[in-house]
Every structure is written in structure tokens, then in C-alpha cells.
Amino acid sequence: MPKSDTNSVGLVTPQILDIDEPLSLACGRVLPRYQLIYETYGQLNADASNAVLICHALSGTHHAAGFHSESDRKPGWWDHYIGPGKPIDTRRFFVVAVNNLGGCAGSTGPTSINPDTGKPWGPDFPTLRVRDWVHSQAKLGESLGIHTWAAVVGGSLGGMQAMRWALEYPDRVRHCVVIASAMKLTAQNIAFNETARNAIMSDPNFCDGDYLAHHTSPKNGLATARMIGHITYMSGDGLGEKFGRALRTGSFAQGSDELVEFQVQSYLRYQGDVFSDNFDANTYVLMTRALDYFDLAREYHDDPVAAFAHASARFLVVSFTTDWRFSPERSREIAHALMAANKSVCYAEIESNFGHDAFLLPNPRYEQVFRNFMDTIDTEPRT
Amino acid sequence: MSLRIDHSIIEKWVAPKSRLLDLGCGDGSLLELLRDNCRVEGYGLEIGAEEINRCIAKGLNVLEHNLDEGLTRFNDKSFDLVIMTQALQTMRFPHLVLDEMLRVGRECIIAFPNFGHWKARWHLATSGRMPVSDLLPYQWYDTPNIHFCTVRDFEVLCAEKGIKILRREVTGAHGTHALIDLAPNLLAVNAIYHLSK
């Protein structure tokens, strides 16, 4: 943990909430009880009106900011944007970040024990949809004494949760921040997810998802899935700028028979390996399916304007110019549907070379837009 | 100074609680005025990053949008009023923008600098060079104002398109003046039109 960063929330400790109340899922199944792991930053004010919920993306966790120990070298995944003096300013806001149900960072998911069998859920873990997360997050909020969120904030799959929140609990979301997201995935996007799932499922160690019972893990498949994802989360230019055709080993000298390895190859392989050591394959499958199934307006006659008519939050929608998985066009659709529904909305299209990943990275304009919007949120307790 | 004059004139023309769209809303000062004084449901479209930031900070509705890409995403008559101040002359196709404004809005208000103003004519006539002034501080090659027009030009265009001029107000450097109304094409610095189809 770097001592110099005065804008860090510092050391944080995850907490666990056991919810002993059944959760009826969108798929028709019922989760009799479940556990959510979460972190909080900042102080809840007297009337609990300053709480901000952070919804994570595909591979995110509850560890959004700060450090777990003095020796921790990497902060939480959104540390650039959460902390004292940062856009989500923990001097004003009480921030709650939760690992989604079905995750593998401590909340109930495929690696948890199924109480009915005494064995890990594995592939039998129910298929989840975005709304299931929203309902479980609402339970977490209630346990913390939070009825209404000052803001629900998320990027990518997290943005889908934020939008679903605004429709499912309109009186409990004052502001909704939707970053690099979409009201539904495109066919191309679903195709990428299917390719990733196929990589996992065709790994011989996948064992139809029952790899834990076989004391193994589809690491190669999961690494490949991550590599595919990683490429698509960056822009072609960004990848080119970072690696070009630079070589890690070997040379193209005449007469050299040695195999050449490009920098980008070893980088991707490293990313895939680190990820597959720390992530659960069934969770990856579950999360990508939730992404594919999400369609904000499905139950509103496929009319986004009719869907957003139910919202009462003030929205900030942000996209990034080189994001081709959640392109600016998808965000424009959100912003325009909100405007047509007569809702409050700000939309900014941020210049960035980093593709979809841009929502996680430092960017002065993105920070300013985000900060200016968050600064308009009143956090003074009503007496 | 002159911008504030248009704003105060526009404020008088806007019906309370209108649903309106401000094209090229800048830092949102007009939207803010209309929100606070006319309780409008206002949305601004803007392309400048700094301007968008200021609108967000004021709690206004603003969408990043390049007006040269048109308003194709907007439905017919989806706004009571579409406003454009000091931006028509920066458009690639001002006549098409005008059509779009009257398609999307039931009415529109347009304010623009009058290039027929005597100072511009004098500058061009005496120096033989494109006018540069406090209000229009650009050189010909770097100006965003690529389609200047005069009051007369604008009214000819409206007549050609069958656009009704509901109201017109012309202003000098210090506001409205009866004299300016006598020869607006020569004396007006700014012209503000309230239009419908």
C-alpha cells in the first residue's frame, strides 16, 4: 500500500452479510439463503441519504477501492474513482461495493456449498439475471439501513444493474450512473461471450461444470476465455500502441530457426493465467449469460422509452470513443430514450484510446464529468 | 453582453413549462435561466467538453452531440420549442438545420449575428479584409462561423421555405432600440426570430 496516496480510502476490510430469507429468482428457482460479501468506504450520514452503490462488471468484486493490507500492492478495481477527493468522494458519500451473487469472491456462487447436497453448487447453481442481483443488493441496502441510494453506479454489466435498479426501485434511486453500458447486447457481443464460454466448456477439465468434484479446474479454457475478452475490451489502436510488433524472445534474423514470441502474446498469456488462477469458470459462464440475457425493455413491449418512463432518477450516461463492445451508439440510445421519456439525463462521450477498459482507467475528462455530476448530489441530512 | 440580451428576449417568448431543446447550448446559461424562470423541461445538445462540464455542474440536462450529424434520432414534434442561439452560422448546412428544428419542434427560436451590420460592411469595404471584432474575434481561416448571413438573407430563406416568422427582435450592442427596427439589416448586431412552419 503506497503511503503517499492521500486520496486513498486506505485499509479496508470486507464484511459478510448472511441473508436467511429466500430469494425468488427470475429463472423460477428459489435460493433459500445466501451470503453477500461487501466493502464500505466513508460514513453513512444521519438520515442515510448519502449512500452510493457500486455495481461491478463481469469479473469485478466487492473490492472496489483501497487496500486489504499494508503489503497489498494493488488497490481495488475502481480506486481511481472512489476515495477522498475523487469523483465518488468518500468524504461526502458512504460507498457500498458488493460481490454479486453467483460470483467467486465470497458471495454465494457456484463454488459455495449447496445446503441440500453438502457439495459445491458447481453447474447446478441457478442461472441469474441482472434483476436478481438488484433484488439481493436491495436486501444488503436494507441491512445497512439504506432505503434510498443517493446514486447507483456501474460500468458495463454494472451499468445494466444500475439501469435495472432505476426501473425496479424507482423511489429508491436518486441518481443513476451508467458507464460504457447498453440496454441489451448486440449479436456480435453475444457471439464473443459464446466463444468465451465455448473455450471454457470444451476444456477437458471442465467436466460439465463439475470440475470441483473432480478436484480439477478448466484453467486453459478459462484463460482463453479471458484472452478473448481482454482483446475485445481494448481498441486495436490501444493494443498497437502498447505492444506494436515488439518481440519478447527470438528474432527474424536470416538463418534463425528459433520461434519468435511477440510481446502481445506473452502479455495475453500472462493475463489469462493470472485470471484463471483466481476466477471460477462457472461464475464466468453465469456472468456472461446474465450479460447476454439482459434486455432492459423486454417487459416494456421492447420500448426503451416506456421502460424509462418508470424511472425517477437523474441519469449520467458515459461512453468512450474507441469502445467497440459497448459502443457510444449504445449509450446514445440510452440517453435518447431517457430524453424521450422526459427524464433528467447528462450524456458525455469521452475521447479515449483504451476501448471498453477505459471506464476503469484514469482519464481527466471522464473524471471531470463524473465529478461534476456527483457534486450535484445533495448529501446533507434532512432534519 | 449581447448574448445576455438575446437570452432575456428569448425568456419572454418561452411559454412556462415548455419541453425544449437548446442546440449548441454552450455552458447552459440560457437553459439555466429558462429552467429557473420558466420552469421548462430543457435539454441541451453540445459538442464542447468544457461547456458540457459546466452544464453538468449546473444540474442541467445536456447531451454530447455533433449537430452536423443532424437530429435524425429525434422524433417529429417531440419538443414544444427548439432553440439555437449564436450557432446557426457555425453549421455545415444551416438551411437543413432549420428544417430539422421545425420538424423536431413545434416552434423554434433562432438568434444569430447579423453580417449585414454596417461595421462588418465598413470593415470589408475599407480594409478589404474579412471583419474581425470583439464579437467575432476569428480570422477567416480559423473561424467556426462558416455560414454568416444577414437579416435579409435569413428572411429570404424563411420565405422560400414557407416558414412563418411569429416574432422578430433585433438588437444593437446595447440592446433593443427603435432606430434599429427602421433598418435592421444595417443596424442590428443580433437578430432573434421565433418561427413556426
Side-chain angles (χ1 to χ4, degrees), chain A residues 329 342-343 347 349 365, chain B residues 19 43 53 62 64 73:
Chain A
E329 188 55 22
N342 231 349
K343 302 299 167 183
Y347 168 61
E349 210 164 291
R365 184 172 174 224
Chain B
R19 178 172 154 79
Y43 294 84
N53 279 340
V62 61
E64 182 157 347
R73 203 187 292 275

Side-chain angles (χ1 to χ4, degrees), chain B residues 45-107:
Chain B
L45 302 186
E46 178 54 51
I47 195 170
E50 202 36 57
E51 286 79 5
I52 292 168
N53 279 340
R54 288 203 208 119
C55 290
I56 294 173
K58 289 172 181 169
L60 297 165
N61 300 318
V62 61
L63 275 68
E64 182 157 347
H65 185 93
N66 179 356
L67 291 173
D68 279 332
E69 287 169 9
L71 298 175
T72 46
R73 203 187 292 275
F74 293 78
N75 290 331
D76 293 359
K77 308 296 173 210
S78 51
F79 286 87
D80 299 320
L81 185 62
V82 179
I83 299 178
M84 181 182 259
T85 60
Q86 311 300 328
L88 187 69
Q89 75 282 359
T90 68
M91 295 292 106
R92 196 163 150 75
F93 300 109
H95 59 307
L96 302 183
V97 170
L98 193 58
D99 290 340
E100 279 290 85
M101 289 175 74
L102 283 165
R103 176 183 67 79
V104 169
R106 273 178 274 280
E107 295 176 357

Side-chain angles (χ1 to χ4, degrees), chain A residues 324-382:
Chain A
W324 52 284
R325 270 205 80 168
F326 291 81
S327 72
E329 188 55 22
R330 301 285 84 74
S331 289
R332 277 181 225 132
E333 288 164 359
I334 298 169
H336 278 261
L338 283 162
M339 181 164 52
N342 231 349
K343 302 299 167 183
S344 288
V345 56
C346 295
Y347 168 61
E349 210 164 291
I350 309 291
E351 182 100 29
S352 165
N353 229 348
F354 295 108
H356 187 53
D357 274 344
F359 89 88
L360 299 164
L361 301 171
N363 175 311
R365 184 172 174 224
Y366 172 31
E367 278 169 44
Q368 195 64 50
V369 162
F370 202 170
R371 178 190 308 277
N372 283 12
F373 184 80
M374 295 306 290
D375 282 354
T376 63
I377 301 177
D378 183 10
T379 53
E380 283 304 307
R382 302 265 178 276

